[in-house]
Every structure is written in C-alpha cells, then in structure tokens.
C-alpha cells in the first residue's frame, strides 16, 4: 500500500488463485467458469483500488486488465489479450504490456476506468513492463523467447538442433525414428500455430 503498512497478494489455493488485500482478507476469488488465474496485483496510488490481470487459467498468458475496489466490485477495463504480462500504475492510469494479435511482441498500453485502451509504445521485441517512476520513466525488460528441438541419433556424438522457426516443440516421432512431428507457435508463424514434419537428418520441414 502507499503507506507501506498493508500488502496485496495473490495466493494459489487448491489450484485456483485468489486476491487478498489487506493480507488475509479475500478481496476476489474467481469462479471456475471465469478463469482461475490472477497476476500482477498492483495497489492504486491512493490505496483504494487494486488493479490486476485476470487470466483464463493459472500459468496462462491469456487475460485482461481488471480493477477492484475495497468492497469487492470488479470492473473489466480491457478485452482479453492473447498475451499479457506486466502491469503498473502511473498516476490515475494503468499501464500494461500485452499483445492482442500475436503471442509475442507485447506492446505497452494504457487504460483508465471508463476509457478505451491506448497504445503507448510498440517495439519489435518481446517486452515486459515492471515499474513506473514518478517522473514517467518506465522499467521494461526485453526477453528473447525461443523453443528448440534437440535430437541425438544412434552413433551421434553431438546433439542435432532440429529447430525450424523460433518456437519448435516436439509432438511425436515416426515409428522408424526418422521423422519428427512438431508445432511452431511463436512469432515465426504469426498468430496461428502450425504443424510441421521433418526428417531427423535435418531435411527441410513441411
């Protein structure tokens, strides 16, 4: 809280997140059909409201920005984003980092109660907003996320990198062990995941 006397926390209980503010008082506990994940709880500068991200599930990145008052009234400030990770207060405005069309390349956006979200900055990187200074500067982290496929065949002395784009994940192997079926879910394929197959000899994926 602004005076440093109280804490707002997210506590996972039996697989579902809940918001406590002050510590020990359950301010919000989502229903199963409304998404069970919460994140980035932030108390307003006047201590009267708490902003947070309401996720579809725990450990999910799909979610929306919400605001709750001391009486437990929740207001949804945004629609659902495919990737939202990072939220801070800057005065009466809530800033957050999210992507509405692709799983990577989050932008910095801002929203006020009763107003539509606006874009603050777009960058060709995947970023997370962590804090805002009183003078308006933002603390941002850039991350380079990548998923790789590694294989080692009989007789190999070194690993083979079979990755295709930026987020390759193995789904299955053929019975003879010569082909791998995999998914691409990153920036390389845009907003729609794609299934590929390729030989473990490193031949091109199709």
């Amino acid at each position: 809280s602004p005076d440093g006397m109280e804490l707002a926390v997210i506590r996972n209980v039996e697989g579902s997140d809940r918001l406590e503010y002050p510590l020990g008082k359950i301010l919000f506990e989502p229903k199963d059909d409304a998404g069970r994940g919460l994140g980035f709880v932030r108390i307003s500068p006047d201590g009267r409201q708490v902003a947070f991200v309401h996720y579809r599930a725990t450990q999910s990145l799909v979610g929306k920005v919400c605001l709750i008052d001391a009486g437990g009234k929740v207001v949804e400030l945004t629609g659902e984003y495919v990737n939202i990770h990072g939220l801070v207060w800057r005065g009466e405005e809530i800033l957050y980092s999210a992507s509405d069309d692709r799983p990577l390349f989050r932008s910095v956006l801002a929203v006020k109660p009763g107003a539509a979200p606006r874009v603050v900055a777009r960058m060709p990187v995947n970023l997370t907003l962590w804090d805002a200074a009183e003078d308006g500067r933002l603390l941002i982290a850039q991350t380079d996320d990548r998923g790789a496929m590694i294989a080692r065949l009989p007789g190999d002395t070194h690993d083979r990198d079979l990755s295709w784009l930026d987020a390759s994940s193995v789904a299955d192997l053929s019975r003879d062990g010569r082909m791998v079926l995999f998914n691409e879910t990153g920036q390389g394929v845009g907003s729609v995941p794609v299934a590929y197959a390729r030989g473990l000899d490193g031949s091109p994926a199709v």
Side-chain angles (χ1 to χ4, degrees):
S1 57
D3 61 8
M5 300 301 293
E6 303 289 352
L7 286 176
V9 301
I10 294 169
R11 192 189 306 273
N12 186 277
V13 179
E14 297 180 354
S16 182
D17 289 341
R18 72 186 189 195
L19 169 60
E20 297 180 10
Y21 179 62
L23 192 64
K25 176 187 175 182
I26 301 175
L27 190 60
F28 178 64
E29 193 164 18
K31 306 255 190 254
D32 287 346
D33 58 351
R36 303 172 69 184
L38 303 174
F40 290 95
V41 56
R42 301 288 188 265
I43 302 170
S44 63
D46 62 10
R48 296 178 180 177
Q49 296 175 301
V50 178
F52 62 95
V53 179
H54 189 182
Y55 290 106
R56 279 193 189 178
T58 57
Q59 308 302 316
S60 172
L61 287 174
V62 179
K64 53 197 168 186
V65 177
C66 294
L67 191 63
I68 189 168
D69 61 20
K73 180 182 178 182
V74 177
V75 177
E76 295 180 0
L77 299 182
T78 71
E80 193 172 69
Y81 293 90
V82 296
N83 185 329
I84 178 168
H85 191 69
L87 183 147
V88 300
W89 284 90
R90 186 171 68 175
E92 297 180 353
E93 200 169 39
I94 298 167
L95 275 62
Y96 57 100
S97 42
S99 172
D100 54 5
D101 59 352
R102 296 189 178 191
L104 298 179
F105 288 13
R106 289 187 291 265
S107 301
V108 177
L109 300 103
V111 67
K112 287 183 179 180
R118 65 181 181 89
V119 176
V120 175
R122 291 189 188 275
M123 297 172 230
V125 295
N126 195 23
L127 57 86
T128 302
L129 178 61
W130 287 109
D131 206 353
E134 291 184 0
D135 62 7
R137 290 177 300 158
L138 302 179
L139 179 63
I140 293 174
Q142 177 197 337
T143 56
D144 184 10
D145 298 319
R146 179 172 170 80
M149 295 189 304
I150 306 297
R152 184 175 290 194
L153 302 181
D156 284 352
T157 57
H158 299 286
D159 293 338
R160 300 182 184 209
D161 187 346
L162 297 177
S163 308
W164 188 240
L165 299 175
D166 60 315
S168 306
S169 59
V170 176
D172 205 356
L173 288 172
S174 62
R175 285 181 178 271
D176 61 10
R178 295 181 179 180
M179 296 283 292
V180 58
L181 180 68
F182 65 98
N183 298 307
E184 285 287 348
T185 58
Q187 193 67 30
V189 293
S191 59
V192 181
V194 179
Y196 287 92
R198 77 177 305 187
L200 268 69
D201 60 358
S203 55
V206 294

